[in-house]
Amino acid sequence: MKRVGLVLILLAGAWGWYERQALADFPGILSAYSAKEYCSCRYVMNFDPRYCRGYVQQYLPLSRLDEDAQQRLISAEGLGVISQAQWQGPHVGCRLLP
């Protein structure tokens, strides 16, 4: 029984090492997706804030989702990573800020 547990731990560790880049990138995906999609929902599609908050809601909750309507800037924080998206204009739409 101990051998089976040890083998499972070794396999999980090997899988984690193999997928290390994807696992490292994952925390940024939640905030980046939420900021970009919320921005597009609000300023490209012109939906109201309540609808857009529901639209970007994920299984993992955001710590923060802020909108600066004057600058058309969206800030989202999830899993410790903050991402921002801003409306660039009618021909470009929204883009993530560096």
Side-chain angles (χ1 to χ4, degrees):
M1 194 62 154
K2 288 183 181 183
R3 286 185 182 179
V4 172
L6 182 60
V7 169
L8 289 176
I9 290 172
L10 289 173
L11 285 174
W15 175 82
W17 179 256
Y18 179 75
E19 296 291 344
R20 66 189 178 279
Q21 186 61 51
L23 292 169
D25 292 340
F26 179 74
I29 293 171
L30 178 65
S31 61
Y33 167 84
S34 299
K36 173 76 168 53
E37 289 300 311
Y38 185 90
C39 182
S40 295
C41 182
R42 286 286 291 133
Y43 301 114
V44 175
M45 302 304 293
N46 293 314
F47 289 121
D48 65 273
R50 184 176 170 193
Y51 173 81
C52 293
R53 282 186 182 271
Y55 177 73
V56 300
Q57 186 175 350
Q58 296 292 312
Y59 180 74
L60 296 172
L62 292 171
S63 304
R64 186 180 70 153
L65 182 62
D66 297 326
E67 176 180 0
D68 181 342
Q70 189 172 9
Q71 293 185 25
R72 295 184 175 187
L73 177 68
I74 307 303
S75 298
E77 181 178 1
L79 300 176
V81 178
I82 299 171
S83 297
Q84 292 183 314
Q86 188 170 35
W87 189 70
Q88 302 297 302
H91 297 289
V92 178
C94 292
R95 76 176 175 99
L96 288 171
L97 300 179

